[in-house]
Amino acid sequence: MRRNGLFSLIFIVVLAGASLVGTLVSGNSPLLGLDLQGGVSVVLQPSGPVDDNDVSDAIAIIRQRIDGLGVAEPEIARQGDAIVVQLPGVKDRDRALELVGQTARLRFRPVLQVIPPELVDLANDPSTTVPDGTDAPTTTSAPADESSTTTTAGDTSPDESGYGLAPGESAAPVFQTDETTTTTTAPETASTTTPADPDDNVLVPGLEGLSLTPSEDNVDDSPVTLGQYDSDGNEELRYQLGPTEATGDILSGADARLEGLGTWVVAVEVRSSGIDQFNEIAGQCFAKQPACPSGQLAIVLDDEVVSAPSINAPSFARDAISISGSFTESEAKDLALVLRYGALPVELEPQQTQSVSATLGKDALDAGVTAGIVGLALVFLYMMIYYRLLGFVAMCSLGVSAALLWSIIAYLGENQGLALTLAGVTGIIVSIGVAVDSNVVFYEHLKEDVSRGRSLRTAVDGSFSSAFSTIVKADVASLIGAATLYMLTVGPVRGFALYLGMSTVLDLVASYFFMRPLTVMLVKSKRFQDKPKLFGMPKIEEGAPA
């Protein structure tokens, strides 16, 4: 028995020590939640009446988007019809909030005409003429070489400026070659742009009476005029677009990729059920039919033209389509993220946005740590006064549990995104009382046996057997409460329940593998076996059985 006890004692001490050292050497540390490290909290409210299924679907999509952002341990909860989102450690608040609440209505519309910025005012008022000296583009057709050409990914064809494309903006099938090239077939005609005579009065045809502000009532079935904006929100181009030919429902995936020398593209994959629909409009644009005279297909996201690439093939494989343009890495990843996780079923508006500063989070953490240290010091003082050497054993057992708990929290934080919140810190502090209770139960059983006349040496084994049964029942009751809280609650309460339950399990481990063998070894040692007062035990009466 003593040999088995010594083995278990060495095992648990080595395990706790190695875990703690490994955690410190690897640099792992607990991942702090919103209330401890700062971040962003936002309440999103539907703009109109919704049903329960729409809100539930919106929460699922928001969670997927946040996971794509790499935010560790976000908290997403429902309060009535509102959705409360907490993002710990987020630095770029505006970007995160935009992606979380973006409705992401994705539509594919043929480009009927491109309106340069200087002609936007002219489109609003068809009676206005272009001032003298202003060049307005007019489109003509010229024969083009019918042979196939190969261009490096990201290159811009000479005629793209005639359609108002940003340099490098095109759509093409993706072919993987050693030279990372995109193969395109030149259409039978190519558009060229020639400046208008400065003396001519130029009108923008086809825009009379067309509102430049899109209406939700006709956003799918009627032509609209929408803008394309740069990263600063400045309008670069204005497009006259035909009716919606396809929506984002035909997409099954999207990823941002780096091609060529610093060229970011978004590779999209179309569902098997939607590729025919996509290829139908692609064929019309490639042939520059009346439904798509410019040869461009606009990608419209939330009433804004994200890209208007030229279609340079009559059909595409469903997994070989890319959207290219003057994307930065962040823009490409954001677009892919929204396309990948789909559109929200409801339109959400931020009602309340709160930023928790890192300073405020640090103050909360310091307060929690201070409370833990004070509580631990008071418990240590009480145990040492009342149980003496056994109190020292209790504190050592608590230290073993703490080392294991710290290592587990740090590992899960680094690898699983488990965040430690202020509620979690509270759960850990409460668990100190649970752990000390286990020691008290054992010591009181031992004290009762000694009071009946048994020696410490003969009483210790039987006392632990009876006490451990009580400890298990008490800890199981705590685990049931923690599990119930975790399953039926949301937000900080779940963190409290999780860490309380984790600490309770470790208390059982430390009680059996550390407290029991160390207490037995001290009590049965020749140095202490005849000194019950060192253990806070009553003195054995004269004539009592040993």
Side-chain angles (χ1 to χ4, degrees), residues 195-220:
D197 189 331
D199 296 329
D200 293 339
N201 293 329
V202 181
L203 299 179
V204 180
L207 297 184
E208 293 81 359
L210 180 63
S211 172
L212 295 182
T213 302
S215 169
E216 291 296 331
D217 297 333
N218 67 356
V219 74
D220 281 325

Side-chain angles (χ1 to χ4, degrees), residues 36-81:
L36 296 182
Q37 69 165 316
V40 177
S41 175
V42 60
V43 178
L44 299 172
Q45 183 73 38
S47 58
V50 295
D51 57 37
D52 290 342
N53 291 334
D54 286 343
V55 177
S56 299
D57 292 344
I59 291 176
I61 294 174
I62 289 174
R63 189 178 300 278
Q64 289 176 320
R65 290 182 182 178
I66 293 174
D67 290 342
L69 280 174
V71 178
E73 197 64 16
E75 293 184 7
I76 306 172
R78 178 176 177 176
Q79 293 182 355
D81 288 339

Side-chain angles (χ1 to χ4, degrees), residues 304-373:
E304 179 181 327
V305 178
V306 178
S307 180
S310 293
I311 301 298
N312 58 3
S315 63
F316 299 82
R318 72 181 190 87
D319 57 351
I321 303 172
S322 64
I323 304 171
S324 63
S326 53
F327 294 128
T328 64
E329 178 181 1
S330 178
E331 291 170 345
K333 290 183 176 179
D334 287 352
L335 175 58
L337 183 65
V338 174
L339 300 185
R340 186 163 62 247
Y341 294 125
L344 295 179
V346 295
E347 185 174 354
L348 299 174
E349 299 175 351
Q351 296 296 310
Q352 179 182 354
T353 304
Q354 179 183 7
S355 295
V356 180
S357 68
T359 301
L360 184 60
K362 184 177 184 301
D363 292 341
L365 178 60
D366 291 343
V369 171
T370 301
I373 293 175

